[in-house]
Structure formats: C-alpha cells, structure tokens
Amino acid sequence: MNFWTKIAGVILRNRYIVLLVIAAITAFLATQMKYMKFSYTEANLLPENHEVNVQYNQFLDIFGEEGNLIILAVNDSTIFTPKKFNAWNQLTEKFKALKEVDFSVSVSDVQKLKADRKNRKFVLEPLLKNEISNQKQISEVKKQLFEKLPFYENLLYNKETQTIQTAIYIKKEIVNTPIRKDFIFDKLIPTIKAFEKQHNIKVRVSGMPYIRTLNAQNIQDEILLFVLGALLITAIIFYFFFRSYRATFITLLVVLIGVTWAFGFIGLFGYEITVLTALIPPLIIVIGVPNAVFLINKYQQEVKKHGNQAKSLQRVISKIGNATLMTNITTASGFATFIFVKSQLLREFGILASVNIISIFILALLIIPIIYSFMALPKKKHLNHLEKKWIDTIVKWMERMVRHNRIAIYITTVIVIALGIIGVYQIRVSGSLIEDMPKGKQFYKDIKFFEKEFGGIMPLEILIDTKKKKGVMKLSTLKRMEKINETIEQFPELSKPLSITNLVKYSKQAYYSGLPKYYQLPTTQEQATIFSYTKNSKGNSNMLNNFIDSTGRYARITTFMKDIGTDKMTDIQDRLNAVIAKNFPTERYEVSLTGKALVFLKGTNYLIKNLIFSLSLAIVLIALFMAWMFRSYQMILISLIPNILPLLITAGLMGFLGIPIKPSTILVFSIAFGISVDDTIHFLAKYRQELQANNWRIKKSVYSALRETGVSMFYTSIVLFFGFLVFTVSSFGGTIALGGLVSITLLFAMVSNLLLLPSLLLSFEKKISNKKIFKEPSIRILPQEDEKENA
C-alpha cells in the first residue's frame, strides 16, 4: 500500500472529523473578513529603501502629502452672469467651511497685491468685495482676472477658453485615511450635484484625492462582479460538460468555501485590498474548478469501469491526488515567485495567491470524495458525457495530428515563434497612473478635460535644497529656478509650473502699479527694495507655505503631467536633469525630481526587471520538478518548450495589438506559465504510468496518455479560458488585458500541450527511451490495475 492509498483510507474513514475541521476553519476565517480594508493610496511598486522612494519621502517630510488638491472647473459662458457667478463663489465658501478642507483658492479668494508706498509694504486687496449685482461688474472682474493677473493663469483660469477653476486643498492628515472617502462621497459629490441641478451647469471635478477615491470604490464594486461572474460562467460550463446538477453543486460548494477562505486570509494577514489582491477570490474559483474536473471525471470513469463506489473513491484520491498536488504546487510556485520581488504589493499578492491555491486543492481533495461517499452511485445519464462523440472526435483528431502530421506541427511552431519574436520587438512600456482607469467613467473624462484645459492633474515635483537657511529667497537661486520653469513651459505635456518665483514676479508687478508687463523676476537693483516690501508685509501665508518650507532652505516647483508614456517621460526627465545640472552646482544645491506620478513610473520599470526575474525563477522551479520526475535534460527541454511557446505568442500579440507592458499585463506571464504547466504535468504523469504499464513502449504510451488526459485537459482549459474572460467585463483597462491575455495564453498552452508535447516525445523517442532516466514514480499504479485500464 503506497502513501496516497493510505491518505485515501484516512480521509474516507474519518470523513465526519474532516468535515468538522473544514467547517471550523471556515467559520474562523469568516470572522477574519471584518478586518479586510481597502487601500487609500496608489500602489507603491518600489521597495522602501529605493532611491526614488527615499527622495519622495524626503519631499513628504518637508512639504507634507502632495496629493491633497481637488479641483473644480466650469467651462460654460453662462457662469459669467451675476446669479450663477455668485452661486459658484458661494459653492467655494461652503467647501471652505468644512472641517476636512484646509484652504481654497478660487475667484472669490483672489487677492490683488498692491504696494503701500507710505508704509513700504505690500497689502492684499480682494478682487471681489461684495456679491456681483450686474453684468458690468462681471465684465470688470473678467478683465482684471484674464488680463491683469497673470499670477493666477492656469491656477484659476484658462485665458483662451475662459474656463475657471477652484482649487480645494484638503487637510493633509486625512488624505490617506477613510475620512477622505467619507468627505468625497458624503459631502463633495452631493454638494456639486445639487449645484449642477439647481443652476444647470456641468462641473468638472478632478485631483488625486478624488480620483483615488472613485477608483478604489470601482475596485470594491468589481470584486463582487468578478466573484459572481466567475461562479456563474464556470458553473454553466461545468454543467455543460458533466450534465449533472450534483457534480456542479459539489464544485460550487468547494469554490465558495475557497472564496470564503480567500477573503478570510486577506483579513487574517492584515493586507489591504488593492487592484491585485481583489483578483484573488475570482482567481481561486477559476483555478479551483479544474481540480474538481479532474477528480470528478476520474470518479465517474472508475464508476463506469467497475461500479464499486469505495474502490472508485479510493482510486480518485490515490491516483489523481498526487497529480493534482503537483499541478497545484507548480501553480502556487508560479505565484510564490512574486514573494521574492522587493515590491510589497506583489509580495502580498504572491503570498495570498500561493496560500489560497494550496488551500483550494486541499478542500477539493477532501470535500469531493467525502460528499460522494454519502451519495448514491452516479446514474448512467451522468456518465454519458464520457462517451460523447464530439469530444471523442476532438481526441481522435489530436491523435491523428500527432501520428501523421508532426512535420506540419513543427512548421507551424517555427512560424509562430518567428511571428512572436517580431511582435516582442514592438512592445512598449507604460508607467501611467491613469491609463488603466475606466475610460467610460465620468471621472476619467474629467481627467482628460483638465489635461486639455490646464495641462494635467498628476503632480510632478522638483525639490530644491539650497543647503542653508533662507537660501531660497536669494535672487541667484530664484533665477536658477526660473530656468527650470522656462524648460517646463516648453513641454506641451506639462502644465505651467507653480513656485515661489510666481509670487516674487507678482510682487514686482504689484510694485509697478499692477502692470502685467512687470510680471517678472526683479533685477539686482530692484531686489533690495522689493524684498524689503515683502518682509514688511503680513497676510495669508498658505500659498507661501506651499512653495517654501519654514526655514527658507527648501523650495518646490510643482507642475502637472498629462497621461504620457514612459518614453516621453524619460525624455522630459533627461532634459530637466540637464538644465538642473547646468544651473545648480552640486556643492551648493541638491535638486531632485519626485512626485507620485514619477514614483509610479519608476516603479513600473523596476517591476518589469523584477518580474522577469520571478518568471525565470518559475521556469527554473518547473525545470527542477521535471528533473525530479525524469533524469534527462532532453525531457526537461521537451516539457518546457510547450509552455514557453504560448508566452512568446502572447508577448507577440501584445506587440502587434499595441498592449503595453505595465504592472497589470506583466503578471500575465507568471500567472499563465504557472497554470499552463499543470497540463504538462498531468500529461507526463500519465505518460510515465503508461510507460511502466506498456513495458517502456513510447508510442503506445504517448497515445494512451493522450486519450486518457485529453478530455480532462480540454475541459479544464475551456473552464480556465472562460473563467479568466470574466475579468474582461472589468472597467479597468489593466484587468481587461490581464483576463484576455491569460485566456489566450492558456488556450495556446492547451493546444501546445496536446499537439506539440506528444509530437516531441515521439520525435525524440530514441533519446528518451532509456528506462534509467526515470525515477521511482511519485504516482504509483499497481501493475494489474494498469493492465486492466489499458486493455
């Protein structure tokens, strides 16, 4: 009696205890679901000690959270009527009164800077002293704003389109907390909707806190959609194949418990639900169903052979148990390689996926045989699917192709490899924060509106360290900063920059009676006079505090980026760094480019390098497993080729279809490889059994293995194909690409494993026919059983 036969006996003899243990674990994990929490920040793909993260954290330490700006805008000529103009200003005042808001900058907040010659200081005079009562006053405000106050251009208005906007800065301490979500959904959105309805004006809303909140809610809404979609599609396909309500119910029970465990583990480990971890529950459904297919299919085959239920259940566990264990271990290994990547986001995803994959295997192996042990034997109608002509036709076609058309298979493979390589060279890399966001949602359309009107919403920051107190306000430093500003303005992909130089230029304009032509940095001669006025002035320091720190040592230049590609961003970065290197001597200044968008872009490039490593590690792990099964490097190559080929095809398709490499699509390769190898293991495990039963006759063993495993491999591949297609109903571009690409890869993998793998085995039969290359099988079959099965 071998190991798995003993395991089968233990499971079936202690079925009540096993069910109680499963129920207890499920109840415990269900209680952990309350600890699940959603992420309130963008995914940080870089390790904490990475140089880019260190620079970003330094910026946050000095200036606080950068992503606290929410912007509202109106592009409607009717806003410049007294009633609606006053209502727009009152809307800003409503937000300003809320405890979550730090301060705002709007037309109603505009302060004109004026020189008080008598007291040698600047004073602030509001643009709007009272409510507007007539159209003449509106015209005067427009003239002042659009023609005489260049400081506010691109901050509060677009001169060409006459779009006006309001900047609302929420308190930095709530940006990465649930309070932000409550503020957006319970206060901001309802107030804006009420304003739109009352005044018939479309208000555009954007800014990172707003985008993050709506995006996170979208992820939350889609988890249920994915879980229900995966359950429904897999149940329909499962019933179509097996035509048994009982088998479908048992499978759904297993995967529902698996989903409960998946959510429970997220809560137990204290992980946040992100774009990636949200995929775990539906992923478990999709991966769990093939386990059920193999186990139930084997049970029904055994029942059809001899009609002995106890013997059938024992053989299900003893024969399929080891094979499914190996396939689940390889799948889990594919995901577990993410643990070795230094990104916390991917590490959490890898841990959760690998733990849940092994869990769903254990659940299937225990629950399916135990439930069947309480039931009567399947009726003849439930076994009819084993003799369906259409599936038999498919298997016979595969056998005929392998037997008579191996040259055609190899020629097709070579052509596909060539096309794949051509496609690979056309792949581009994308590190955009918003590219994957749902294109049909209003908040995405608003992002595009702000890109067109004001140059973007994703902040790019330049941190300048002058290495001494009050170093920022030296004219030499301000002139150096202006060089960077001039370079930024040359890029259509970047908005006009905001920095202390804007305030200094505004000060000079105020000194010269507000004439717009003097909106420029003071000369050396003017410096002392204008700066003395500044020192004597008192007023609202919110804007000043946004540009320089309290010591005057650090300054920031803020610009906003459009949704641009990695190549364009690299070009912008190189040109800015060249200007910085030329104008800021390293012995006197330390200047760094940072900001959430740049961190994400750098994270994407870092991720690609690390995931190439993780995929290579997965391939090495599978190769070692094959080496454990077969003592032959030829067998290792033969087993890997059919699984690497689909990855090349998918990479080629990404190149031809213009699907970029990004955090979501890079996962395709590791996920698909880990799952597709399962078919190889099932085929080779059966092939090894047949070799021993057929006295090492390779041809007979290959065809027997193809007939035996072909049906199950076809069933599982179809389930996986449609299961992953569920992700294409997502509104996130990355999730759609992930689902579609994994589905296609697994379909190619099935064809590759059922046609190319057996063809290679037959072509290399002389080199791999030596029985010494095989180790003692891990799936042991009694010789007399083999003979009966192959009779």
Side-chain angles (χ1 to χ4, degrees):
M1 186 182 289
N2 70 8
F3 171 76
W4 282 97
T5 307
K6 290 176 184 175
I7 290 290
V10 170
I11 292 170
L12 295 171
R13 280 196 303 272
N14 300 284
R15 53 189 183 171
Y16 290 104
I17 296 171
V18 170
L19 290 177
L20 280 171
V21 170
I22 291 171
I25 294 171
T26 305
F28 169 72
L29 288 172
T31 64
Q32 300 302 301
M33 288 165 64
K34 64 187 176 189
Y35 299 114
M36 290 191 305
K37 52 185 182 289
F38 286 86
S39 174
Y40 292 98
T41 60
E42 287 86 16
N44 192 339
L45 305 173
L46 294 167
E48 276 301 312
N49 60 354
H50 193 279
E51 181 190 7
V52 173
N53 257 346
V54 170
Q55 289 174 347
Y56 182 61
N57 288 331
Q58 182 193 12
F59 172 84
L60 294 181
D61 289 341
I62 297 166
F63 289 105
E65 173 61 46
E66 46 144 6
N68 67 325
L69 170 65
I70 295 174
I71 40 179
L72 317 178
V74 170
N75 178 233
D76 188 329
S77 58
T78 64
I79 195 70
F80 295 108
T81 55
K83 183 181 176 183
K84 291 186 178 181
F85 192 76
N86 288 331
W88 175 252
N89 292 329
Q90 287 162 11
L91 178 69
T92 306
E93 294 301 316
K94 277 184 188 176
F95 288 128
K96 202 187 295 184
L98 296 174
K99 65 178 185 293
E100 295 89 350
V101 175
D102 192 5
F103 69 98
S104 68
V105 182
S106 69
V107 175
S108 62
D109 296 309
V110 168
Q111 302 282 337
K112 292 192 292 181
L113 203 60
K114 290 200 169 183
D116 180 351
R117 304 286 182 191
K118 184 179 178 182
N119 297 306
R120 294 180 63 81
K121 67 177 183 178
F122 291 117
V123 292
L124 293 170
E125 184 183 288
L127 176 66
L128 299 176
K129 294 174 183 174
N130 300 300
E131 281 198 349
I132 299 293
S133 59
N134 56 61
Q135 199 63 40
K136 185 180 178 182
Q137 288 177 315
I138 290 271
S139 299
E140 180 58 31
V141 168
K142 284 177 70 177
K143 184 178 179 181
Q144 287 282 327
L145 192 64
F146 293 157
E147 295 176 20
K148 297 186 177 180
L149 295 171
F151 173 78
Y152 293 103
E153 186 175 1
N154 212 63
L155 180 64
L156 290 183
Y157 67 87
N158 181 323
K159 190 174 180 179
E160 292 179 7
T161 63
Q162 299 208 343
T163 299
I164 58 172
Q165 76 173 358
T166 293
I168 298 170
Y169 291 85
I170 63 174
K171 288 181 178 172
K172 292 175 179 179
E173 58 268 23
I174 74 162
V175 169
N176 295 323
T177 70
I179 299 171
R180 182 195 78 204
K181 177 185 174 184
D182 296 337
F183 168 71
I184 300 288
F185 284 117
D186 300 340
K187 296 179 181 179
L188 183 82
I189 292 175
T191 305
I192 290 170
K193 282 185 176 177
F195 175 85
E196 288 179 324
K197 187 176 180 181
Q198 185 179 352
H199 300 285
N200 195 29
I201 289 179
K202 175 71 179 171
V203 179
R204 304 284 189 163
V205 191
S206 200
M208 293 314 292
Y210 180 78
I211 294 167
R212 287 175 187 171
T213 304
L214 268 65
N215 209 35
Q217 187 61 41
N218 234 49
I219 294 169
Q220 191 175 337
D221 295 342
E222 287 193 354
I223 292 178
L224 184 62
L225 176 70
F226 289 154
V227 169
L228 293 177
L231 281 171
L232 181 65
I233 197 77
T234 51
I236 290 170
I237 296 167
F238 197 90
Y239 180 76
F240 175 76
F241 285 147
F242 285 91
R243 297 300 166 98
S244 168
Y245 290 113
R246 189 161 65 178
T248 307
F249 167 76
I250 293 169
T251 303
L252 288 178
L253 177 66
V254 170
V255 294
L256 280 172
I257 294 172
V259 167
T260 305
W261 284 30
F263 282 123
F265 281 127
I266 293 173
L268 182 65
F269 296 157
Y271 293 159
E272 291 182 335
I273 292 180
T274 62
V275 173
L276 288 185
T277 52
L279 300 178
I280 297 287
L283 198 64
I284 294 309
I285 296 170
V286 173
I287 292 172
V289 169
N291 288 335
V293 169
F294 277 105
L295 292 164
I296 293 173
N297 207 38
K298 183 62 178 174
Y299 174 65
Q300 293 184 350
Q301 284 176 349
E302 291 292 331
V303 168
K304 188 178 178 184
K305 277 179 195 172
H306 47 71
N308 185 320
Q309 188 180 49
K311 190 177 181 181
S312 300
L313 291 170
Q314 184 264 334
R315 284 193 177 179
V316 166
I317 298 169
S318 62
K319 290 187 179 182
I320 300 299
N322 198 343
T324 48
L325 172 64
M326 290 302 107
T327 57
N328 280 274
I329 284 175
T330 53
T331 304
S333 298
F335 286 95
T337 54
F338 294 137
I339 297 169
F340 300 100
V341 176
K342 291 179 181 176
S343 163
Q344 184 184 350
L345 178 82
L346 280 169
R347 192 181 299 123
E348 289 179 2
F349 177 68
I351 291 169
L352 281 171
S354 49
V355 167
N356 280 293
I357 287 165
I358 298 301
S359 298
I360 196 72
F361 158 72
I362 293 168
L363 286 170
L365 188 68
L366 297 176
I367 293 172
I368 291 172
I370 288 175
I371 290 183
Y372 269 118
S373 73
F374 288 108
M375 293 180 170
L377 282 169
K379 294 176 183 176
K380 188 177 183 300
K381 65 178 182 179
H382 296 141
L383 307 178
N384 287 341
H385 73 93
L386 298 171
E387 297 175 350
K388 279 191 180 142
K389 288 184 179 179
W390 67 271
I391 192 72
D392 192 46
T393 304
I394 291 172
V395 173
K396 283 180 178 175
W397 174 82
M398 289 187 294
E399 189 178 334
R400 191 166 59 251
M401 287 295 293
V402 172
R403 195 185 292 270
H404 303 297
N405 298 293
R406 286 205 292 277
I407 299 298
I409 290 171
Y410 294 146
I411 290 171
T412 305
T413 302
V414 171
I415 292 170
V416 165
I417 288 171
L419 290 172
I421 291 169
I422 293 168
V424 165
Y425 279 99
Q426 297 180 41
I427 291 181
R428 63 185 178 88
V429 176
S430 168
S432 166
L433 257 175
I434 67 171
E435 184 178 31
D436 281 346
M437 289 182 185
K439 306 285 189 292
K441 297 288 182 181
Q442 186 59 46
F443 75 87
Y444 184 85
K445 294 174 184 175
D446 285 353
I447 289 171
K448 291 300 176 185
F449 170 85
F450 282 100
E451 282 188 356
K452 181 184 173 186
E453 293 287 334
F454 297 102
I457 49 89
M458 293 183 292
L460 175 66
E461 303 281 357
I462 300 171
L463 178 64
I464 298 160
D465 177 7
T466 62
K467 298 185 178 180
K468 52 185 169 184
K469 284 186 177 182
K470 298 184 180 178
V472 171
M473 294 307 292
K474 286 192 172 184
L475 188 60
S476 58
T477 301
L478 295 172
K479 286 181 176 178
R480 294 176 200 275
M481 289 175 67
E482 190 63 10
K483 291 286 184 184
I484 296 178
N485 292 340
E486 289 167 3
T487 306
I488 288 172
E489 289 187 18
Q490 291 173 15
F491 291 105
E493 298 84 4
L494 300 177
S495 70
K496 287 188 177 180
L498 294 170
S499 70
I500 187 64
T501 60
N502 298 65
L503 278 172
V504 174
K505 288 191 282 186
Y506 191 19
S507 300
K508 179 174 176 178
Q509 180 189 350
Y511 183 78
Y512 286 103
S513 307
L515 294 172
K517 69 178 182 178
Y518 290 105
Y519 183 72
Q520 56 190 242
L521 286 177
T523 62
T524 309
Q525 292 79 12
E526 296 165 331
Q527 176 190 2
T529 307
I530 290 172
F531 281 10
S532 68
Y533 270 55
T534 305
K535 285 176 186 175
N536 295 333
S537 305
K538 289 182 181 179
N540 191 336
S541 62
N542 278 326
M543 191 67 79
L544 184 65
N545 292 341
N546 255 354
F547 295 142
I548 62 174
D549 77 317
S550 57
T551 66
R553 171 178 167 173
Y554 295 95
R556 72 192 281 192
I557 298 174
T558 302
T559 180
F560 294 91
M561 288 168 42
K562 290 183 179 177
D563 180 25
I564 56 177
T566 308
D567 292 343
K568 191 67 184 172
M569 187 59 226
T570 303
D571 179 44
I572 290 171
Q573 202 177 344
D574 289 345
R575 282 177 61 183
L576 285 174
N577 281 329
V579 172
I580 289 166
K582 183 179 178 182
N583 291 283
F584 289 84
T586 53
E587 63 274 9
R588 291 171 57 194
Y589 299 96
E590 191 175 315
V591 184
S592 58
L593 269 67
T594 187
K596 185 65 81 174
L598 188 65
V599 171
F600 189 82
L601 184 132
K602 293 288 186 183
T604 301
N605 293 330
Y606 178 85
L607 187 67
I608 290 165
K609 292 174 188 173
N610 277 270
L611 286 178
I612 290 169
F613 164 76
S614 74
L615 180 59
S616 304
L617 184 59
I619 292 170
V620 169
L621 285 173
I622 303 306
L624 289 173
F625 177 70
M626 294 304 173
W628 176 74
M629 285 182 75
F630 305 101
R631 290 179 180 173
S632 164
Y633 72 88
Q634 290 104 327
M635 281 302 297
I636 294 172
L637 287 173
I638 286 170
S639 61
L640 287 178
I641 288 169
N643 293 292
I644 294 173
L645 179 64
L647 302 184
L648 182 62
I649 295 171
T650 303
L653 281 173
M654 287 174 69
F656 288 125
L657 299 175
I659 300 170
I661 289 281
K662 49 190 173 182
S664 48
T665 54
I666 193 72
L667 295 173
V668 169
F669 301 100
S670 294
I671 291 173
F673 184 77
I675 296 173
S676 68
V677 166
D678 293 359
D679 281 348
T680 308
I681 292 170
H682 272 291
F683 186 89
L684 290 178
K686 185 61 187 172
Y687 166 65
R688 186 170 60 179
Q689 291 175 4
E690 294 296 335
L691 276 174
Q692 293 176 326
N694 294 309
N695 199 25
W696 311 98
R697 291 198 294 273
I698 285 181
K699 280 188 180 178
K700 188 175 181 183
S701 300
V702 168
Y703 296 132
S704 296
L706 188 58
R707 284 191 293 270
E708 175 82 16
T709 59
V711 176
S712 290
M713 285 165 70
F714 180 77
Y715 282 2
T716 55
S717 295
I718 296 301
V719 169
L720 287 165
F721 175 78
F722 285 103
F724 274 100
L725 274 186
V726 167
F727 293 128
T728 60
V729 302
S730 171
S731 54
F732 290 90
T735 311
I736 294 168
L738 178 71
L741 290 169
V742 171
S743 292
I744 291 167
T745 309
L746 294 177
L747 207 58
F748 283 126
M750 176 192 74
V751 175
S752 185
N753 277 304
L754 289 174
L755 294 179
L756 183 58
L757 178 59
S759 296
L760 290 169
L761 288 171
L762 290 170
S763 295
F764 290 90
E765 66 173 307
K766 289 180 182 177
K767 292 189 177 183
I768 60 172
S769 61
N770 185 354
K771 68 178 76 175
K772 289 180 182 178
I773 70 171
F774 294 95
K775 285 191 173 185
E776 183 66 18
S778 57
I779 304 174
R780 190 173 180 82
I781 299 181
L782 298 175
Q784 63 267 31
E785 291 175 359
D786 289 335
E787 287 165 15
K788 288 177 188 173
E789 283 180 31
N790 290 290

